[in-house]
Amino acid sequence: MNQNMDPADVLAAADALAAADESRTKMAERLYTPVWYHPLVGAAMSMFGLAAGLAAARRGWSDVLVMGGLFICVGIVLAYRRITGVALTGPIGPRSQRMLIVVGVVGILLMLAGLGLFSQVAVNWPWIVAYSLVVIVLITILGRRYDDILRDEIRSGAQL
Amino acid sequence: MTTASFDELIHQPHRLRICVALSVPGEVSFQALCDDLELAMPTLSKQLKMLADAGYVKTSKARGEGRPTTWASLTPKGRKALQGHLAALRELAAQVEGGDA
């Protein structure tokens, strides 16, 4: 195919690749996550961790916390779709896939920490606030890093 | 490993840009495609229909608040065709860099 190609076709191919790059860049720019997104994910996760601890200690409020966390999760996913016009269903390339696994493992560990913490110690506001802050900060840092990698991979045309 | 394969349907500039925009895993709204690709709605509809008829794109309508929103995504067949086409374009463009053109 390459040997007998018209030079005009070759230049057209370069133009087409440039157009494809531009399309990827616009998609990456579109996927800027709102600033409130990851803190709210962290808040929902801290509610799940607190709920697990309270349930293990046979105290009340765990159902309410789980429902509240689920409500936040559904709300932010729908809001993200509406704001960006994109409903992502997974990572783009190998780097974002690895980062997603890291975020998932850290999320599970944080919820287990909540389970251990609130099933053992007296549940009071200082503990709840401290635990929630740790979860929100960690999830926000990791979530934003994941988004940066995702956008880099979209721009570069990476794929799994 | 992607096999380079020139695809006449995808090569048209609007359709190539649409397929690249849809290459993210998931769905992209009709409005987002219009905005990013700077295409009029009738033009985008026509091109999406051609891609859908070829089995490259899948569209769905979701009713949220107010008007239904159309969402589009690349099918596995479309993804494979796009990857093959981009690989073919890279092979061609490499001729420019190699000084063969």
Side-chain angles (χ1 to χ4, degrees):
Chain A
M1 178 174 69
N2 295 352
Q3 299 304 316
N4 303 315
M5 220 57 209
D6 187 320
D9 290 337
V10 177
L11 290 173
D15 286 347
L17 285 171
D21 285 344
E22 187 191 356
S23 193
R24 284 195 200 98
T25 300
K26 285 201 170 176
M27 181 53 70
E29 285 168 2
R30 172 169 287 282
L31 290 176
Y32 269 95
T33 311
V35 288
W36 44 261
Y37 186 91
H38 295 110
L40 281 178
V41 173
M45 291 187 70
S46 68
M47 289 167 85
F48 293 141
L50 179 58
L54 292 176
R58 298 184 185 284
R59 292 176 183 153
W61 289 95
S62 60
D63 292 348
V64 174
L65 287 166
V66 169
M67 291 303 288
L70 288 174
F71 182 78
I72 290 173
C73 288
V74 171
I76 56 178
V77 167
L78 292 177
Y80 180 88
R81 279 175 61 128
R82 195 167 152 182
I83 291 167
T84 63
V86 181
L88 284 180
T89 54
I92 303 291
R95 285 175 61 218
S96 56
Q97 187 178 45
R98 281 196 295 273
M99 192 63 198
L100 190 61
I101 292 169
V102 170
V103 174
V105 168
V106 170
I108 290 168
L109 290 175
L110 286 170
M111 282 195 272
L112 288 174
L115 170 66
L117 183 67
F118 296 113
S119 61
Q120 301 296 324
V121 302
V123 178
N124 53 35
W125 282 110
W127 276 111
I128 293 172
V129 170
Y131 171 73
S132 299
L133 278 177
V134 169
V135 176
I136 288 169
V137 168
L138 276 175
I139 292 300
T140 301
I141 291 169
L142 291 175
R144 288 184 180 167
R145 180 73 192 124
Y146 173 74
D147 282 356
D148 289 342
I149 292 171
L150 199 77
R151 283 192 293 272
D152 280 349
E153 287 188 331
I154 290 173
R155 285 190 200 97
S156 67
Q159 55 193 323
L160 285 172
Chain B
M1 184 73 185
T2 303
T3 309
S5 171
F6 198 87
D7 190 297
E8 286 292 343
L9 182 70
I10 291 180
H11 189 59
Q12 196 272 350
H14 289 334
R15 290 194 288 272
L16 174 64
R17 289 164 63 220
I18 290 168
C19 287
V20 169
L22 293 177
S23 64
V24 293
E27 296 178 305
V28 182
S29 74
F30 189 85
Q31 190 60 54
L33 287 172
C34 276
D35 293 345
D36 284 1
L37 306 177
E38 295 171 1
L39 293 176
M41 285 190 178
T43 308
L44 179 59
S45 288
K46 185 181 164 190
Q47 304 300 338
L48 276 178
K49 187 176 184 315
M50 291 176 78
L51 290 165
D53 288 346
Y56 287 178
V57 164
K58 188 176 70 179
T59 59
S60 61
K61 279 193 190 295
R63 184 172 288 280
E65 296 165 21
R67 294 180 296 183
T69 308
T70 301
W71 293 84
S73 61
L74 217 51
T75 63
K77 181 183 175 186
R79 194 171 296 278
K80 192 177 172 188
L82 174 65
Q83 287 167 2
H85 184 69
L86 289 173
L89 289 177
R90 282 188 209 103
E91 278 186 8
L92 281 171
Q95 291 187 3
V96 176
E97 289 165 13
D100 293 343

